[in-house]
Amino acid sequence: MNEILLLHGPNLNALGRRNPEHYGSVTLPELEARVREWGSARGASVRSFQSNHEGALIDTLQEAYEWASGALVNLGAFTHTSYALSDALLDFAKPVVEVHLSKISAREAWRRTSVIRPSCVASVEGLGIEGYREALDRLLEAINENS
Ligand code: DQA
């Protein structure tokens, strides 16, 4: 069975009340439960982690090297700034798919760059929580191609 890390970065713990015009009204626990269901329907188990702290996200990726077949990541604003997380994703060395609830390519200029994109096999944006289903499918395809 594939084991997937679902990793969320800063401010995503506030989903449900934070900028619903961009991020919708679903809370993070609801979103995580949805991805878990989509995973189990596809024979994959999903473990979730969220942190507002860059180092905690890096520690989690380093630990996941031991057990995960791949990762689905929404690193929030660290997407646009964190070379440390980009390096950690490269070191993770398993397929990673980047997902964003909002369409970052159509928002403020600073959101249009993703420094983690080169470390990812695919990127899905602007589809709300449905984007996580597409991202999961892309991730499982990449894992199956690798194995
Ligand atoms: C986000 C987009 C980022 O620019 C922002 O900082 C977030 C959420 C998204 O899911 O659309 O926190 O990653």
Side-chain angles (χ1 to χ4, degrees):
M1 182 185 263
N2 285 315
E3 299 237 46
I4 306 299
L5 170 66
L6 174 62
L7 190 62
H8 281 102
N11 299 308
L12 289 162
N13 55 320
L15 283 181
R17 69 164 166 79
R18 173 187 178 215
N19 297 110
E21 67 282 14
H22 287 302
Y23 306 126
S25 55
V26 170
T27 65
L28 184 61
E30 288 165 351
L31 171 52
E32 290 170 339
R34 204 68 82 77
V35 179
R36 245 189 339 268
E37 282 166 23
W38 288 329
S40 68
R42 290 160 175 75
S45 91
V46 177
R47 285 196 223 173
S48 307
F49 181 75
Q50 185 277 333
S51 179
N52 293 324
H53 304 278
E54 191 176 27
L57 295 165
I58 293 169
D59 289 345
T60 299
L61 278 166
Q62 290 184 356
E63 286 156 19
Y65 178 84
E66 303 298 332
W67 59 264
S69 332
L72 202 57
V73 304
N74 181 349
L75 297 178
F78 285 148
T79 302
H80 317 296
T81 61
S82 178
Y83 293 109
L85 274 162
S86 180
D87 275 352
L89 290 171
L90 278 181
D91 181 53
F92 176 62
K94 323 253 174 94
V96 177
V97 174
E98 171 191 22
V99 59
H100 300 282
L101 292 155
S102 65
K103 193 167 171 56
I104 54 172
S105 58
R107 296 182 62 194
E108 302 95 315
W110 62 269
R111 285 186 210 273
R112 293 183 201 148
T113 302
S114 165
V115 302
I116 65 163
R117 192 152 303 166
S119 314
C120 299
V121 295
S123 177
V124 176
E125 59 166 286
L127 300 176
I129 66 163
E130 286 300 314
Y132 282 73
R133 186 179 359 208
E134 183 175 328
L136 183 63
D137 285 335
R138 304 280 291 275
L139 180 63
L140 293 172
E141 274 167 31
I143 291 169
N144 291 334
E145 278 164 21
N146 273 16
S147 58

